[in-house]
Structures are given as structure tokens and as C-alpha cells.
């Protein structure tokens, strides 16, 4: 099956710093989503981005589908950004389950 | 975005008992829902695909007789952990995709934390 690798596995940032999280995947995908899992376990949708670039406030994401990677940028990080960031992909379009990477655990310290 | 709810949010039970977890799509109909399991500090792993009006399909290694799935309506799927044991303690999360949307975004419930004593 498709492999999803995220890096780095852990990241500690000073509040206000910027960061880039990476997601590599082993096959062409029709769906790619970035999630933030908060301390209570809720998965929060950040981006649906199988290709291209999107921005939402301090967050932005870029997926280069031909090279099979996606990047999530966090600018001016805040302590509330702490948590685990997951990249998840699906090979096919339609109602298909997602395959998750192992996540990047981000800690933002004041 | 679309809203998916789960109930209960957390449950503690004795070994050998059964636990039912509900997953509801609140503002859309979902012919398909997915059940994932997440152990501490690990990623989400797909357990099964729940199909409205038909049998669920299970991933390799997931016992269908232990994890019973019923998708009786277009807004409700249930996962019953039968004869639960401590190794079944985990975080169970469901998801669904809102149909008719241009983007194939999947929305996740808040999860159910199960502790089997």
C-alpha cells in the first residue's frame, strides 16, 4: 500500500518562530489533507490540498503532486499551535479512507 | 465544514463487557463512514469501512466478530467492541465525507476514548 512519511517527528519551537513540516508519499494521490490533532484528540481539518498552494491565516500548504510531497508552513507560531500534525492521503477519488503518516509532534514554548 | 459527532466521548468498562460507540453525521447523509483506531502516541489506523445497508469491510488483522459495525441509517454508524479486553483500550475515531462537495474532504468525529480494566 501507499507509504506516507512525515518529518520531522518532533519539533520544539519558541513562540513566534516559523516552521515547515514535510509529507512524502509513495504514489500518486487524489486526496491529501493536513490535520491538527489537539490535546483532546480532535482532528481539525487544516487543508484539503492534493495539489497546489493554499493559505489560511498563519498557515499555508503546498503540494507538488508530481514530486510526491507536501509542505505545511506555520508562521509566527503560538502556544496554541502545539499538538500533532498529520498528513493523510488517499489513492483514489470518491469515498475512500485516508492513509495517515505518523505525524509531527509540535511543541511551541513561550 | 461538515459535522460528525461521536458518543460517548470516553468510556471505562470491565474486561469481558461490550461497548457501543455511535458515530453520527449531523448535517449531511453519509453512505460510507470509516472507523479508525489510535493507540497512544501513534498514528490513526483504519479498522473498517462502514457501508449503509450492507456489511462492513474490515482491514486485515481486525476481527469482524469482535468489532461489530452497523450502519443502519444514512446518518448513523455504530461500532460495538464485544467482550472487551485491556488490549482494546484505545482512541476510536470515525470519519465521513460530505457527499456532493467539490472537495473530497473527510471530516472526523471527536473520538471515543475506551479504557478496559
Amino acid at each position: 500500500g501507499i507509504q506516507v512519511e512525515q518529518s520531522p517527528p518532533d519539533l520544539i519551537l519558541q513562540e513566534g518562530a516559523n516552521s515547515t513540516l514535510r509529507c512524502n508519499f509513495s504514489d500518486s494521490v487524489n486526496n491529501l489533507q493536513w490535520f491538527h490533532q489537539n490535546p483532546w484528540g480532535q482532528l481539525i481539518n487544516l487543508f484539503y490540498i492534493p495539489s497546489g498552494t493554499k493559505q489560511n491565516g498563519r498557515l499555508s500548504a503546498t503540494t507538488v503532486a508530481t514530486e510526491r510531497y507536501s509542505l505545511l508552513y506555520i508562521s509566527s507560531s503560538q502556544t496554541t499551535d502545539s499538538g500533532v500534525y498529520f498528513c493523510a492521503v488517499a489513492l483514489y477519488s470518491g469515498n475512500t479512507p485516508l492513509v495517515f503518516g505518523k505525524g509531527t509532534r509540535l511543541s511551541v514554548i513561550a | 465544514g461538515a459535522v460528525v459527532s461521536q458518543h460517548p466521548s470516553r468510556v471505562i468498562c470491565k474486561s469481558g463487557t461490550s461497548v457501543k460507540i455511535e458515530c453520527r453525521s449531523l448535517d449531511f447523509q453519509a453512505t460510507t463512514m470509516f472507523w479508525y483506531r489510535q493507540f497512544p502516541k501513534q498514528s490513526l489506523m483504519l479498522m473498517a469501512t462502514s457501508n449503509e445497508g450492507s456489511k462492513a469491510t474490515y482491514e486485515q488483522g481486525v476481527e469482524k466478530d469482535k468489532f461489530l459495525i452497523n450502519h443502519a441509517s444514512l446518518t448513523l454508524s455504530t461500532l460495538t467492541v464485544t467482550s472487551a479486553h485491556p488490549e482494546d483500550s484505545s482512541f476510536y475515531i470515525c470519519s465521513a465525507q460530505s457527499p456532493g462537495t467539490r472537495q473530497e474532504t473527510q471530516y472526523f468525529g471527536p473520538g471515543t476514548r475506551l479504557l478496559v480494566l
Side-chain angles (χ1 to χ4, degrees):
Chain A
I2 190 168
Q3 304 297 313
V4 182
E5 295 183 359
Q6 290 185 244
S7 60
D10 296 279
L11 184 60
I12 300 175
L13 293 177
Q14 197 75 37
E15 196 170 28
N18 303 328
S19 64
T20 301
L21 281 56
R22 187 177 180 102
C23 172
N24 293 332
F25 42 96
S26 60
D27 206 339
S28 299
V29 298
N30 276 288
N31 185 347
L32 188 147
Q33 293 182 235
W34 282 98
F35 297 91
H36 174 212
Q37 188 170 40
N38 66 21
W40 296 272
Q42 173 76 62
L43 281 169
I44 300 165
N45 289 63
L46 298 178
F47 295 103
Y48 167 83
I49 189 165
S51 64
T53 297
K54 290 185 178 179
Q55 180 161 6
N56 184 2
R58 295 182 297 103
L59 301 181
S60 63
T62 295
T63 297
V64 183
T66 54
E67 297 187 22
R68 300 179 184 172
Y69 74 88
S70 183
L71 302 174
L72 177 68
Y73 305 98
I74 304 174
S75 63
S76 303
S77 59
Q78 301 176 358
T79 56
T80 52
D81 294 333
S82 297
V84 183
Y85 289 81
F86 286 106
C87 167
V89 304
L91 282 175
Y92 309 109
S93 60
N95 226 336
T96 55
L98 294 172
V99 177
F100 282 76
K102 293 185 177 181
T104 292
R105 186 171 300 274
L106 174 64
S107 298
V108 182
I109 55 177
Chain B
V3 179
V4 177
S5 72
Q6 278 184 245
H7 178 80
S9 58
R10 60 178 60 215
V11 57
I12 301 174
C13 69
K14 292 182 179 179
S15 186
T17 60
S18 295
V19 175
K20 181 185 283 188
I21 302 170
E22 294 185 347
C23 176
R24 293 182 185 274
S25 54
L26 295 187
D27 51 359
F28 65 98
Q29 295 182 331
T31 55
T32 302
M33 293 182 176
F34 304 103
W35 287 96
Y36 296 82
R37 181 167 53 184
Q38 184 181 29
F39 292 106
K41 298 195 184 301
Q42 294 189 24
S43 187
L44 281 76
M45 297 296 293
L46 179 69
M47 296 177 66
T49 300
S50 172
N51 303 297
E52 188 269 335
S54 64
K55 291 182 179 179
T57 54
Y58 292 81
E59 294 302 295
Q60 191 173 7
V62 178
E63 301 175 53
K64 65 179 188 327
D65 294 330
K66 180 171 183 64
F67 298 99
L68 302 180
I69 291 174
N70 186 357
H71 196 149
S73 78
L74 288 172
T75 59
L76 174 63
S77 174
T78 60
L79 169 67
T80 301
V81 184
T82 63
S83 186
H85 289 99
E87 57 265 30
D88 299 322
S89 299
S90 188
F91 191 52
Y92 292 86
I93 313 173
C94 68
S95 77
Q97 180 178 317
S98 181
T101 55
R102 191 166 59 91
Q103 293 185 353
E104 297 182 349
T105 304
Q106 288 207 13
Y107 295 92
F108 285 76
T112 297
R113 207 165 293 279
L114 170 64
L115 176 62
V116 184
L117 301 177

